[in-house]
Amino acid sequence: MNSDLDVELSSHNRITAARSQFYKILSRVFAYPPDGLQQDFLIETRRQLREAADELPFPVPAIESIAQFDASQGADAENFAVMYSGIFDNCSGRPAVSLHEKDYSKKDTKYVWEELIRFYEHFGLNYDLGRCKEWPDHVGIQLEFLHYLTFLEAGAPEDVADIYVAAEGDFLEKHVADWVPKFSEKLRSMAEDTPYGSLAQVLAQFVEGDTEFNRRRRTIQ
């Protein structure tokens, strides 16, 4: 018996795992910077995004725009927290750039929240504002949910994976792909000279690519 187990992931699983990893990284980027944020946060984020992008079925060229920022330009933990608060916190009654779908949608806020919570609960997640600390339409919560769905798809049998494919497509079309491009455009215009401007471009390109990828594969099914 050969002691070396040569287990290769299928192309589908590699692509799905890469998409899942991408969603995971981006969901953390738009959360308040933790106390333990490393000095090389941007370098590490770019490295992780590059690795995941190698397996994606579409390009995300904006990743390279992150390279223009590094710790020597003041992108350290303290400055990141100040930068985040200045852009996203409600310091003067209204944030410069909202992180919530309700502020980019014409739909009633209560309807948006109820529909999002139904999505989360349908797939076994119990949304709890007290624990999440964020409203259900926060960009980080929505990206984390897509990380969860793609994670489940990557490990699901072929006859079950279609359930997650359909859910990802519906969630993108009804929510993320409907408002994140507007959010990204505003963030780029308000924070063009900061790392968040580059990360907004990465997010927009990834969401556009993943939405089209899901449309194509649902048409084929």
Side-chain angles (χ1 to χ4, degrees):
M1 179 179 176
N2 190 340
S3 60
D4 294 324
L5 293 177
D6 184 15
V7 179
E8 292 188 2
L9 291 173
S10 69
S11 174
H12 166 266
N13 282 358
R14 288 200 306 273
I15 289 171
T16 309
R19 294 171 53 232
S20 187
Q21 180 66 5
F22 226 94
Y23 278 121
K24 180 180 179 180
I25 297 166
L26 291 177
S27 71
R28 293 175 177 175
V29 161
F30 294 101
Y32 186 82
D35 292 339
L37 183 72
Q38 299 175 354
Q39 294 285 329
D40 59 353
F41 167 73
L42 279 177
I43 296 172
E44 184 63 15
T45 297
R46 189 181 70 216
R47 183 190 66 77
Q48 293 176 354
L49 289 172
R50 275 176 171 169
E51 286 183 1
D54 284 343
E55 298 290 349
L56 291 178
F58 49 83
V60 185
I63 293 173
E64 299 310 317
S65 69
I66 301 173
Q68 64 182 303
F69 303 100
D70 58 34
S72 65
Q73 293 173 294
D76 57 18
E78 183 177 355
N79 280 334
F80 249 102
V82 172
M83 200 185 307
Y84 185 96
S85 294
I87 300 170
F88 302 118
D89 278 353
N90 193 12
C91 300
S92 57
R94 191 175 181 83
V97 181
S98 171
L99 291 161
H100 298 89
E101 178 180 353
K102 68 179 180 61
D103 293 315
Y104 302 88
S105 174
K106 295 180 180 177
K107 300 174 188 172
D108 178 72
T109 299
K110 183 180 178 182
Y111 173 84
V112 171
W113 286 356
E114 287 178 345
E115 187 173 69
L116 288 167
I117 292 172
R118 281 198 297 273
F119 260 111
Y120 302 153
E121 291 184 345
H122 183 77
F123 288 92
L125 299 176
N126 180 30
Y127 171 77
D128 182 339
L129 177 60
R131 295 181 61 187
C132 286
K133 308 295 184 187
E134 300 290 357
W135 295 108
D137 61 333
H138 188 280
V139 65
I141 299 292
Q142 294 194 19
L143 295 174
E144 192 171 351
F145 180 59
L146 282 165
H147 159 62
Y148 176 67
L149 290 178
T150 47
F151 176 82
L152 294 177
E153 182 196 341
E158 190 173 345
D159 59 337
V160 176
D162 289 351
I163 295 173
Y164 302 114
V165 172
E168 292 158 27
D170 286 346
F171 195 75
L172 279 164
E173 299 283 355
K174 292 182 178 179
H175 293 281
V176 176
D178 185 55
W179 75 275
V180 160
K182 302 170 195 170
F183 159 71
S184 298
E185 184 177 345
K186 184 167 186 179
L187 180 52
R188 285 178 60 193
S189 67
M190 298 293 291
E192 186 176 7
D193 297 329
T194 77
Y196 285 110
S198 293
L199 291 166
Q201 194 175 8
V202 172
L203 175 63
Q205 289 181 356
F206 176 70
V207 167
E208 181 181 4
D210 206 44
T211 302
E212 182 57 31
F213 172 71
N214 274 282
R215 286 174 184 155
R216 289 204 310 269
R217 64 180 183 159
R218 292 180 76 180
T219 301
I220 294 172
Q221 286 178 340

